[in-house]
């Protein structure tokens, strides 16, 4: 195709992994307006991925398509100028730039933990008044998010699992979506539409109903997740041993220690898949060993 997006006057605008969003955006630019409509769930049931890898692949396709739209002639700030309100243009940009958020997410799940091993503080002391804005922001956003989740019919456990998936998606799906767009712009690769399988066998469906994650298939996404899990666990154990051996107070590094401990809690299913589970859906041994080597190298370089 000579152009990334087809200039169809009718129907869906194909040539993009998220043709539904692109078509809706084009319709709004032609004068149509959206309304809030919240129907009963039973009338709109669909089929969703039942494994972690399939879900990550699906989100990778979405974020890749979102960024692809932003970098094309259909960028809301350009194509939507004068056609839709500025606040709606900015709202579209929030979604279209989700892939780029992987950079900030990868920073927060790696750099603060690695700095713990060197005793480098990136945040104010916990006893300092400058720590209050950080504490307030974290507590306020978390409380609001959890309250909204429960108000919409969810549970606190469901909210925590949602936060876990948010971390997994930003460090894998968003990263690969961002990387694929860069490679496409450089002419190294072309955009490929990856179909997400949504049919599961009996054993997979049973584990899904038991809320057990599926790790059986080796994937670069699992390598990244397990490497980050190893890295945060090693950093957390290392800083605790260092504080205990030297008799230091954790005041200076308290916020980083809390962040690292939360990441360890988020990665609980990964630790179970690597060390404790014996079923077919456990983490592949090769992925576990390979990610352990990567994490040890990163920690060793941080301690030099």
């Amino acid at each position: 195709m000579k152009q990334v997006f087809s200039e169809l006057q009718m129907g869906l605008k194909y040539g993009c992994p998220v043709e539904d969003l692109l078509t809706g955006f084009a319709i709004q630019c032609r004068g149509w307006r959206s309304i809030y409509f919240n129907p009963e769930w039973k009338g709109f049931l669909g089929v969703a991925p039942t494994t972690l890898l399939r879900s990550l692949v699906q989100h990778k396709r979405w974020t890749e398509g979102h960024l692809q739209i932003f970098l094309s002639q259909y960028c809301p700030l350009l194509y939507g100028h004068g056609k839709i309100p500025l606040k709606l243009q900015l709202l579209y940009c929030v979604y279209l730039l989700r892939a780029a958020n992987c950079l900030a997410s990868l920073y927060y799940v790696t750099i603060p933990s690695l700095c713990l091993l060197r005793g480098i503080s990136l945040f104010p002391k916990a006893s300092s008044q400058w720590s209050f804005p950080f504490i307030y922001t974290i507590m306020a956003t978390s409380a609001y998010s959890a309250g909204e989740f429960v108000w919409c019919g969810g549970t606190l456990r469901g909210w925590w699992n949602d936060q876990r998936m948010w971390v997994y998606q930003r460090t894998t799906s968003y990263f690969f979506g961002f990387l694929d767009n860069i490679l496409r712009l450089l002419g190294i690769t072309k955009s490929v539409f990856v179909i997400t399988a949504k049919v599961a066998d009996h054993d997979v469906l049973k584990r899904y109903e038991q809320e057990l994650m599926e790790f059986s298939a080796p994937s670069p996404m699992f390598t990244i997740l397990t490497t980050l899990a190893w890295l945060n666990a090693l950093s957390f154990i290392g800083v605790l041993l260092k504080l205990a051996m030297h008799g230091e107070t954790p005041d200076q590094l308290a916020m980083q220690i809390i962040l690292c401990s939360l990441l360890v809690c988020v990665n609980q299913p990964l630790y179970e898949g690597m060390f404790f589970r014996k079923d077919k859906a456990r983490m592949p041994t090769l992925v576990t060993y390979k990610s352990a080597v990567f994490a040890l190298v990163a920690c060793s370089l941080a301690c030099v």
Side-chain angles (χ1 to χ4, degrees):
M1 296 178 64
K2 295 182 179 180
Q3 295 182 349
V4 177
F5 302 110
S6 58
E7 293 291 342
L8 297 178
Q9 296 298 322
M10 299 177 61
L12 293 174
K13 288 187 174 293
Y14 293 103
C16 174
V18 283
E19 71 284 345
D20 51 350
L21 188 146
L22 178 61
T23 302
F25 171 66
I27 290 175
Q28 287 191 317
C29 289
R30 294 176 183 175
W32 291 73
R33 292 294 176 261
S34 301
I35 63 171
Y36 178 74
F37 182 53
N38 188 20
E40 293 293 335
W41 286 101
K42 293 182 179 181
F44 292 87
L45 291 178
V47 179
T50 55
T51 66
L52 176 61
L53 182 59
R54 292 175 183 175
S55 178
L56 294 177
V57 170
Q58 185 177 63
H59 278 270
K60 181 259 181 184
R61 183 179 73 242
W62 288 345
T63 52
E64 179 185 358
H66 292 163
L67 187 58
Q68 189 174 335
I69 293 174
F70 183 83
L71 298 175
S72 72
Q73 60 181 340
Y74 287 100
C75 175
L77 299 178
L78 300 176
Y79 188 83
H81 180 68
K83 300 177 182 178
I84 57 177
L86 177 61
K87 59 182 180 181
L88 185 56
Q89 297 177 41
L90 297 177
L91 182 61
Y92 269 109
C93 289
V94 170
Y95 281 92
L96 299 184
L97 289 173
R98 287 195 300 177
N101 288 335
C102 70
L103 302 178
S105 300
L106 287 170
Y107 172 87
Y108 276 106
V109 300
T110 55
I111 302 303
S113 298
L114 291 175
C115 287
L116 283 176
L117 299 176
R118 291 291 299 271
I120 301 175
S121 176
L122 300 178
F123 302 102
K125 292 182 178 181
S127 59
S128 171
Q129 61 179 357
W130 296 107
S131 65
F132 294 161
F134 292 90
I135 297 174
Y136 171 78
T137 302
I138 295 173
M139 294 185 64
T141 54
S142 299
Y144 180 85
S145 175
E148 185 179 35
F149 195 93
V150 173
W151 181 72
C152 292
T155 62
L156 289 177
R157 180 179 179 181
W159 172 79
W160 178 247
N161 288 331
D162 192 62
Q163 304 306 301
R164 175 178 289 122
M165 288 299 301
W166 178 83
V167 174
Y168 291 175
Q169 291 164 8
R170 282 179 172 245
T171 53
T172 56
S173 303
Y174 292 13
F175 172 71
F176 282 107
F178 180 81
L179 183 62
D180 282 355
N181 269 281
I182 299 300
L183 296 177
R184 181 182 59 83
L185 291 175
L186 295 176
I188 300 176
T189 62
K190 295 183 180 180
S191 179
V192 179
F193 188 90
V194 180
I195 299 177
T196 305
K198 298 180 180 179
V199 179
D201 57 31
H202 176 72
D203 292 337
V204 173
L205 186 60
K206 183 179 179 180
R207 285 189 288 268
Y208 173 76
E209 294 174 348
Q210 295 174 344
E211 299 186 6
L212 294 175
M213 288 188 175
E214 194 86 13
F215 301 117
S216 55
S219 169
M221 292 189 177
F222 287 163
T223 302
I224 292 178
L225 290 179
T226 50
T227 300
L228 294 175
W230 273 107
L231 188 148
N232 284 283
L234 294 175
S235 299
F236 184 67
I237 296 173
V239 71
L240 291 183
L241 292 176
K242 183 178 180 180
L243 292 175
M245 293 174 60
H246 294 82
E248 300 176 0
T249 59
D251 185 41
Q252 184 68 46
L253 301 172
M255 298 188 68
Q256 283 170 251
I257 295 176
I258 293 174
L259 174 60
C260 188
S261 64
L262 288 175
L263 290 172
V264 171
C265 294
V266 163
N267 291 322
Q268 176 190 346
L270 295 174
Y271 301 131
E272 293 177 353
M274 287 189 289
F275 305 123
F276 303 111
R277 289 177 57 178
K278 302 300 180 182
D279 55 14
K280 295 181 180 180
R282 70 185 306 272
M283 187 69 69
T285 304
L286 179 61
V287 174
T288 301
Y289 289 159
K290 184 165 56 175
S291 60
V293 172
F294 292 155
L296 288 172
V297 171
C299 292
S300 300
L301 293 176
C303 293
V304 174

